Amino acid sequence: MSSNFTDIVILAGGFGERLWPASRPDFPKQFLSLQNGQSFLQSAVLRSLAVKPSGKILILTRRDILEEMTSQCEKMKTFVSEADWKKICSDLIIVAEPCARHTAAPLLLASKYLNNSDPDKVHNILVLASDHIITPVERFTEDCKKAAEASEKGNFVCFAIKPTEPSTGYGYIKMGESMKEIQNLSEDVYKIEQFKEKPDLKTAESYLSSGKYCWNSGMFGFTADFFEKEMALYEPTIASDFSVFNKTNLPEIKLLNGIKYVKEWPAMEKAYENVKSIAVDNAIAERTEKAVVVKSTFGWDDVGSWDAFEKLFDKNENTVQIEAKDNFVYSDIPVALCGVEGLSVVIKNGKALVMKKGTSGFMREVVKQVKENF
């Protein structure tokens, strides 16, 4: 077996409502540009290439953003190496789901696709989000090797992030005993003792002080065969819906903006008709007896708020500030701020958000009310 992941799946179907108004349904967070000019999605593809998978890079996404997805991948030709561009052209495939079904269904879809494409190969899959920031990439790839070894040995692998603050915005993982003696894995791989939902502040502070809890990054590793077996065990109705893939032809692969994609596949349409919508965390991670965690050494941020987004920028552009300080501006048009402080000002797509820093928790209600009133 390979000492690393053979295939990579990037989940890219999110709506990114927490970064409204820059992120919108037809141009969600994963497409937003960072200060270096690259988008979250392009950064995720670069991260995938750095792992050097021998097999496929699958991007699972929505049909209504397929064209922009292929366009963003095509634009990578201008800043990747010739070898990486060849890899993108040959092995990157965008799979457009018929409808949104959370994360368990698309991951089972990816497993079925990979096993059907090459049934004689062991597909060791790394699952990435399309909208995270991870640095440095060298530490990330080293941690992936530890995770790949663990998933090869029949585990469901999570990546845990050492908390830097008592955050109430992340789920937590309580680490158990080391897997070094149990399966001769890296000393950074542990049994997962317990998953914890997003806590209140007091609980988060206790997690931080104990040193036994880490943030759950939402990235995973497993083999396709393992995942199919666990889904059959814990979510038999989903497995039954996807049994249509056991006897089916491979889908036709087409090109859009020079990038391979799959959109029409009768088996996929049939499987998605009534399949349950559930997160892979609830379907498998929290229920399997074989959940382990890699204590990651890289820096990570899911950039789930404007407060977090601000940290990615060194300075404001299109901005004049007079007797104003500690303000963040992300705008299509020039903005002047006078006598104010501690504000996030976002003007994108003909809409404006003016928010006191630290109040990102209101964003879902903001989006809800904007939809209802405008």
Side-chain angles (χ1 to χ4, degrees):
M1 277 186 225
S2 166
S3 60
N4 212 335
F5 290 105
T6 60
D7 303 275
I8 295 178
V9 175
I10 302 174
L11 296 173
F15 291 85
E17 291 185 339
R18 290 179 293 176
L19 291 184
W20 181 90
S23 175
R24 60 183 194 265
D26 62 336
F27 198 89
K29 172 187 169 187
Q30 53 266 36
F31 295 149
L32 298 184
S33 293
L34 305 173
Q35 196 162 35
N36 62 6
Q38 298 169 7
S39 69
F40 285 97
L41 172 71
Q42 291 167 337
S43 296
V45 175
L46 287 174
R47 201 171 301 131
S48 302
L49 293 167
V51 175
K52 299 190 181 303
S54 59
K56 305 296 184 187
I57 299 174
L58 300 182
I59 301 178
L60 278 292
T61 192
R62 308 185 333 247
R63 289 184 176 179
D64 60 324
I65 57 173
L66 173 61
E67 184 169 359
E68 179 63 25
M69 193 72 64
T70 59
S71 176
Q72 292 226 349
C73 291
E74 190 273 335
K75 289 174 182 175
M76 295 185 69
K77 184 178 182 178
T78 62
F79 57 81
V80 299
S81 68
E82 184 178 350
D84 281 347
W85 179 243
K86 285 183 178 179
K87 181 68 175 178
I88 288 173
C89 292
S90 63
D91 290 330
L92 186 145
I93 303 172
I94 298 172
V95 181
E97 300 174 82
C99 54
R101 285 291 183 264
H102 224 306
T103 53
L107 290 178
L108 185 54
L109 172 64
S111 297
K112 293 288 189 181
Y113 178 86
L114 293 170
N115 273 340
N116 286 2
S117 298
D118 192 348
D120 296 325
K121 181 179 180 179
V122 175
H123 295 279
N124 197 7
I125 301 171
L126 171 64
V127 179
L128 301 178
S130 62
D131 56 2
H132 290 178
I133 296 295
I134 291 175
T135 56
V137 70
E138 294 79 13
R139 288 188 182 180
F140 171 72
T141 55
E142 285 302 308
D143 287 345
C144 282
K145 292 176 183 178
K146 303 169 190 175
E149 182 184 22
S151 61
E152 281 178 354
K153 293 188 177 181
N155 296 298
F156 185 95
V157 185
C158 300
F159 289 80
I161 310 299
K162 184 178 179 180
T164 56
E165 60 182 348
S167 174
T168 60
Y170 301 134
Y172 284 72
I173 291 173
K174 184 178 183 181
M175 297 181 296
E177 58 185 321
S178 170
M179 294 294 291
K180 185 172 179 58
E181 300 298 326
I182 299 173
Q183 286 187 319
N184 194 31
L185 294 173
S186 164
E187 60 185 10
D188 292 323
V189 181
Y190 297 84
K191 194 81 174 173
I192 292 179
E193 186 172 316
Q194 201 170 16
F195 287 90
K196 295 288 189 178
E197 296 296 329
K198 296 175 182 178
D200 58 29
L201 181 59
K202 185 177 180 180
T203 304
E205 289 172 342
S206 70
Y207 289 168
L208 184 63
S209 62
S210 75
K212 296 180 181 179
Y213 293 84
C214 289
W215 292 333
N216 185 357
S217 70
M219 298 183 291
F220 310 103
F222 47 77
T223 66
D225 286 343
F226 171 87
F227 191 71
E228 289 193 30
K229 290 176 182 175
E230 294 295 281
M231 286 294 286
L233 178 62
Y234 294 105
E235 291 290 343
T237 57
I238 297 179
S240 177
D241 288 333
F242 275 69
S243 64
V244 66
F245 288 99
N246 297 339
K247 294 181 180 179
T248 187
N249 296 322
L250 290 173
E252 180 183 1
I253 295 177
K254 298 181 180 180
L255 290 176
L256 180 59
N257 293 317
I259 301 297
K260 294 179 178 178
Y261 76 94
V262 170
K263 184 178 179 181
E264 292 87 16
W265 192 7
M268 179 172 65
E269 303 284 346
K270 181 67 175 175
Y272 269 69
E273 279 181 357
N274 301 302
V275 73
K276 180 180 178 181
S277 180
I278 184 174
V280 69
D281 310 67
N282 305 124
I284 302 298
E286 297 172 2
R287 298 158 77 182
T288 181
E289 296 179 357
K290 299 178 180 179
V292 302
V293 63
V294 173
K295 193 174 182 179
S296 304
T297 61
F298 53 81
W300 170 90
D301 197 325
D302 79 339
V303 197
S305 69
W306 283 115
D307 294 318
F309 192 84
E310 176 189 359
K311 297 175 185 177
L312 306 178
F313 291 79
D314 297 328
K315 61 180 181 179
N316 292 319
E317 297 180 353
N318 297 332
T319 307
V320 172
Q321 298 200 52
I322 300 174
E323 295 188 18
K325 62 181 181 179
D326 189 30
N327 298 301
F328 171 64
V329 176
Y330 187 65
S331 174
D332 291 329
I333 59 176
V335 173
L337 300 176
C338 303
V340 295
E341 62 179 277
L343 297 180
S344 292
V345 179
V346 183
I347 303 175
K348 291 283 182 178
N349 306 310
K351 297 179 177 65
L353 170 71
V354 180
M355 176 179 67
K356 183 179 179 181
K357 289 184 179 182
T359 61
S360 293
F362 293 124
M363 284 309 301
R364 293 202 185 278
E365 182 62 24
V366 167
V367 173
K368 177 176 178 289
Q369 291 201 26
V370 168
K371 286 179 179 179
E372 290 174 352
N373 293 292
F374 302 101

Short mmCIF file of all heavy atoms in Angstrom, two decimals, residues 108-137:
data_model
loop_
_atom_site.label_atom_id
_atom_site.label_comp_id
_atom_site.label_asym_id
_atom_site.label_seq_id
_atom_site.Cartn_x
_atom_site.Cartn_y
_atom_site.Cartn_z
N LEU A 108 -20.09 8.78 0.54
CA LEU A 108 -20.38 7.43 0.07
C LEU A 108 -20.38 7.41 -1.46
O LEU A 108 -19.90 6.45 -2.08
CB LEU A 108 -21.72 6.96 0.61
CG LEU A 108 -22.10 5.50 0.29
CD1 LEU A 108 -21.01 4.53 0.74
CD2 LEU A 108 -23.44 5.13 0.93
N LEU A 109 -20.88 8.46 -2.07
CA LEU A 109 -20.84 8.59 -3.53
C LEU A 109 -19.40 8.55 -4.03
O LEU A 109 -19.08 7.84 -4.99
CB LEU A 109 -21.51 9.90 -3.95
CG LEU A 109 -21.39 10.30 -5.43
CD1 LEU A 109 -22.09 9.28 -6.32
CD2 LEU A 109 -21.96 11.70 -5.65
N ALA A 110 -18.52 9.30 -3.38
CA ALA A 110 -17.11 9.32 -3.77
C ALA A 110 -16.48 7.94 -3.62
O ALA A 110 -15.71 7.49 -4.49
CB ALA A 110 -16.35 10.34 -2.94
N SER A 111 -16.79 7.26 -2.52
CA SER A 111 -16.25 5.91 -2.31
C SER A 111 -16.71 4.95 -3.39
O SER A 111 -15.92 4.15 -3.92
CB SER A 111 -16.66 5.40 -0.92
OG SER A 111 -16.14 6.21 0.10
N LYS A 112 -18.00 5.02 -3.73
CA LYS A 112 -18.54 4.15 -4.78
C LYS A 112 -17.88 4.46 -6.12
O LYS A 112 -17.51 3.55 -6.88
CB LYS A 112 -20.05 4.34 -4.89
CG LYS A 112 -20.85 3.86 -3.69
CD LYS A 112 -20.89 2.35 -3.61
CE LYS A 112 -21.87 1.88 -2.54
NZ LYS A 112 -21.90 0.39 -2.42
N TYR A 113 -17.72 5.74 -6.42
CA TYR A 113 -17.12 6.12 -7.70
C TYR A 113 -15.70 5.59 -7.80
O TYR A 113 -15.30 5.01 -8.83
CB TYR A 113 -17.12 7.64 -7.85
CG TYR A 113 -16.46 8.09 -9.14
CD1 TYR A 113 -17.20 8.16 -10.32
CD2 TYR A 113 -15.11 8.41 -9.18
CE1 TYR A 113 -16.60 8.55 -11.51
CE2 TYR A 113 -14.50 8.80 -10.36
CZ TYR A 113 -15.25 8.87 -11.52
OH TYR A 113 -14.64 9.24 -12.70
N LEU A 114 -14.91 5.77 -6.75
CA LEU A 114 -13.51 5.32 -6.78
C LEU A 114 -13.41 3.80 -6.86
O LEU A 114 -12.61 3.26 -7.64
CB LEU A 114 -12.77 5.85 -5.56
CG LEU A 114 -12.57 7.37 -5.52
CD1 LEU A 114 -12.06 7.81 -4.16
CD2 LEU A 114 -11.60 7.80 -6.62
N ASN A 115 -14.22 3.09 -6.08
CA ASN A 115 -14.19 1.63 -6.13
C ASN A 115 -14.66 1.10 -7.48
O ASN A 115 -14.12 0.11 -7.99
CB ASN A 115 -15.03 1.04 -5.00
CG ASN A 115 -14.25 0.88 -3.71
OD1 ASN A 115 -13.01 0.86 -3.73
ND2 ASN A 115 -14.95 0.78 -2.59
N ASN A 116 -15.66 1.73 -8.07
CA ASN A 116 -16.13 1.31 -9.39
C ASN A 116 -15.12 1.63 -10.48
O ASN A 116 -14.99 0.89 -11.46
CB ASN A 116 -17.47 1.97 -9.72
CG ASN A 116 -18.62 1.38 -8.92
OD1 ASN A 116 -18.42 0.50 -8.10
ND2 ASN A 116 -19.83 1.88 -9.14
N SER A 117 -14.40 2.74 -10.33
CA SER A 117 -13.43 3.14 -11.34
C SER A 117 -12.22 2.20 -11.37
O SER A 117 -11.68 1.90 -12.43
CB SER A 117 -12.95 4.57 -11.08
OG SER A 117 -14.02 5.48 -11.16
N ASP A 118 -11.80 1.77 -10.19
CA ASP A 118 -10.63 0.89 -10.10
C ASP A 118 -10.86 -0.08 -8.94
O ASP A 118 -10.35 0.11 -7.84
CB ASP A 118 -9.37 1.72 -9.88
CG ASP A 118 -8.10 0.90 -10.07
OD1 ASP A 118 -8.19 -0.34 -10.15
OD2 ASP A 118 -7.01 1.51 -10.15
N PRO A 119 -11.61 -1.15 -9.19
CA PRO A 119 -12.01 -2.05 -8.10
C PRO A 119 -10.86 -2.86 -7.50
O PRO A 119 -11.01 -3.41 -6.40
CB PRO A 119 -13.04 -2.97 -8.77
CG PRO A 119 -12.75 -2.89 -10.23
CD PRO A 119 -12.24 -1.51 -10.46
N ASP A 120 -9.75 -2.96 -8.19
CA ASP A 120 -8.63 -3.76 -7.69
C ASP A 120 -7.68 -2.96 -6.80
O ASP A 120 -6.73 -3.51 -6.25
CB ASP A 120 -7.84 -4.35 -8.87
CG ASP A 120 -8.68 -5.32 -9.69
OD1 ASP A 120 -9.52 -6.03 -9.09
OD2 ASP A 120 -8.50 -5.35 -10.92
N LYS A 121 -7.94 -1.68 -6.67
CA LYS A 121 -7.06 -0.79 -5.91
C LYS A 121 -7.65 -0.50 -4.54
O LYS A 121 -8.86 -0.39 -4.38
CB LYS A 121 -6.86 0.52 -6.69
CG LYS A 121 -5.94 1.53 -6.03
CD LYS A 121 -5.81 2.77 -6.91
CE LYS A 121 -4.89 3.80 -6.29
NZ LYS A 121 -4.73 5.00 -7.16
N VAL A 122 -6.78 -0.37 -3.54
CA VAL A 122 -7.21 0.10 -2.22
C VAL A 122 -7.22 1.62 -2.26
O VAL A 122 -6.17 2.25 -2.43
CB VAL A 122 -6.27 -0.40 -1.11
CG1 VAL A 122 -6.68 0.21 0.23
CG2 VAL A 122 -6.30 -1.92 -1.03
N HIS A 123 -8.38 2.19 -2.11
CA HIS A 123 -8.52 3.64 -2.18
C HIS A 123 -8.49 4.22 -0.76
O HIS A 123 -9.45 4.09 -0.01
CB HIS A 123 -9.83 4.01 -2.88
CG HIS A 123 -9.87 3.60 -4.32
ND1 HIS A 123 -9.27 4.32 -5.32
CD2 HIS A 123 -10.40 2.50 -4.92
CE1 HIS A 123 -9.44 3.71 -6.48
NE2 HIS A 123 -10.13 2.60 -6.26
N ASN A 124 -7.37 4.84 -0.45
CA ASN A 124 -7.19 5.46 0.85
C ASN A 124 -7.49 6.95 0.69
O ASN A 124 -6.74 7.69 0.04
CB ASN A 124 -5.74 5.24 1.32
CG ASN A 124 -5.57 5.49 2.81
OD1 ASN A 124 -6.53 5.71 3.53
ND2 ASN A 124 -4.33 5.45 3.28
N ILE A 125 -8.60 7.39 1.25
CA ILE A 125 -9.18 8.69 0.91
C ILE A 125 -8.92 9.74 2.00
O ILE A 125 -9.16 9.49 3.19
CB ILE A 125 -10.70 8.56 0.71
CG1 ILE A 125 -11.00 7.55 -0.42
CG2 ILE A 125 -11.33 9.91 0.39
CD1 ILE A 125 -12.48 7.21 -0.54
N LEU A 126 -8.45 10.89 1.57
CA LEU A 126 -8.35 12.07 2.43
C LEU A 126 -9.50 13.00 2.09
O LEU A 126 -9.69 13.35 0.92
CB LEU A 126 -7.02 12.79 2.20
CG LEU A 126 -6.84 14.15 2.86
CD1 LEU A 126 -6.86 14.04 4.38
CD2 LEU A 126 -5.54 14.81 2.39
N VAL A 127 -10.27 13.40 3.09
CA VAL A 127 -11.41 14.31 2.89
C VAL A 127 -11.05 15.69 3.39
O VAL A 127 -10.68 15.87 4.57
CB VAL A 127 -12.66 13.79 3.64
CG1 VAL A 127 -13.82 14.75 3.43
CG2 VAL A 127 -13.02 12.39 3.17
N LEU A 128 -11.15 16.68 2.50
CA LEU A 128 -10.84 18.06 2.84
C LEU A 128 -12.05 18.95 2.64
O LEU A 128 -12.91 18.66 1.80
CB LEU A 128 -9.70 18.58 1.95
CG LEU A 128 -8.37 17.84 2.00
CD1 LEU A 128 -7.39 18.47 1.01
CD2 LEU A 128 -7.79 17.86 3.40
N ALA A 129 -12.10 20.04 3.38
CA ALA A 129 -13.08 21.10 3.12
C ALA A 129 -12.51 22.03 2.07
O ALA A 129 -11.29 22.13 1.91
CB ALA A 129 -13.40 21.86 4.40
N SER A 130 -13.38 22.74 1.38
CA SER A 130 -12.93 23.64 0.31
C SER A 130 -12.70 25.06 0.79
O SER A 130 -12.31 25.92 0.00
CB SER A 130 -13.99 23.69 -0.80
OG SER A 130 -15.22 24.20 -0.30
N ASP A 131 -12.90 25.31 2.09
CA ASP A 131 -12.87 26.70 2.55
C ASP A 131 -12.12 26.89 3.87
O ASP A 131 -12.48 27.74 4.67
CB ASP A 131 -14.30 27.23 2.68
CG ASP A 131 -15.18 26.37 3.58
OD1 ASP A 131 -14.67 25.37 4.14
OD2 ASP A 131 -16.36 26.69 3.74
N HIS A 132 -11.07 26.08 4.07
CA HIS A 132 -10.25 26.23 5.26
C HIS A 132 -8.91 26.88 4.91
O HIS A 132 -8.49 26.87 3.75
CB HIS A 132 -9.97 24.87 5.91
CG HIS A 132 -11.17 24.25 6.54
ND1 HIS A 132 -11.14 23.00 7.13
CD2 HIS A 132 -12.45 24.69 6.67
CE1 HIS A 132 -12.35 22.71 7.60
NE2 HIS A 132 -13.15 23.71 7.33
N ILE A 133 -8.24 27.43 5.91
CA ILE A 133 -6.88 27.92 5.77
C ILE A 133 -5.96 27.02 6.58
O ILE A 133 -6.21 26.80 7.77
CB ILE A 133 -6.76 29.38 6.27
CG1 ILE A 133 -7.61 30.31 5.41
CG2 ILE A 133 -5.30 29.83 6.28
CD1 ILE A 133 -7.17 30.42 3.97
N ILE A 134 -4.92 26.49 5.94
CA ILE A 134 -3.99 25.58 6.60
C ILE A 134 -2.56 26.00 6.26
O ILE A 134 -2.21 26.15 5.09
CB ILE A 134 -4.23 24.13 6.15
CG1 ILE A 134 -5.57 23.63 6.72
CG2 ILE A 134 -3.09 23.22 6.60
CD1 ILE A 134 -5.96 22.25 6.24
N THR A 135 -1.75 26.19 7.30
CA THR A 135 -0.34 26.54 7.10
C THR A 135 0.51 25.94 8.22
O THR A 135 0.00 25.75 9.34
CB THR A 135 -0.15 28.07 7.12
OG1 THR A 135 -0.68 28.60 8.35
CG2 THR A 135 -0.82 28.74 5.93
N PRO A 136 1.78 25.64 7.97
CA PRO A 136 2.38 25.56 6.64
C PRO A 136 2.03 24.23 5.98
O PRO A 136 1.73 23.24 6.67
CB PRO A 136 3.88 25.66 6.93
CG PRO A 136 4.03 25.03 8.28
CD PRO A 136 2.76 25.36 9.04
N VAL A 137 2.08 24.20 4.68
CA VAL A 137 1.67 23.00 3.95
C VAL A 137 2.60 21.83 4.23
O VAL A 137 2.18 20.67 4.18
CB VAL A 137 1.58 23.30 2.43
CG1 VAL A 137 2.96 23.50 1.83
CG2 VAL A 137 0.82 22.20 1.70
#
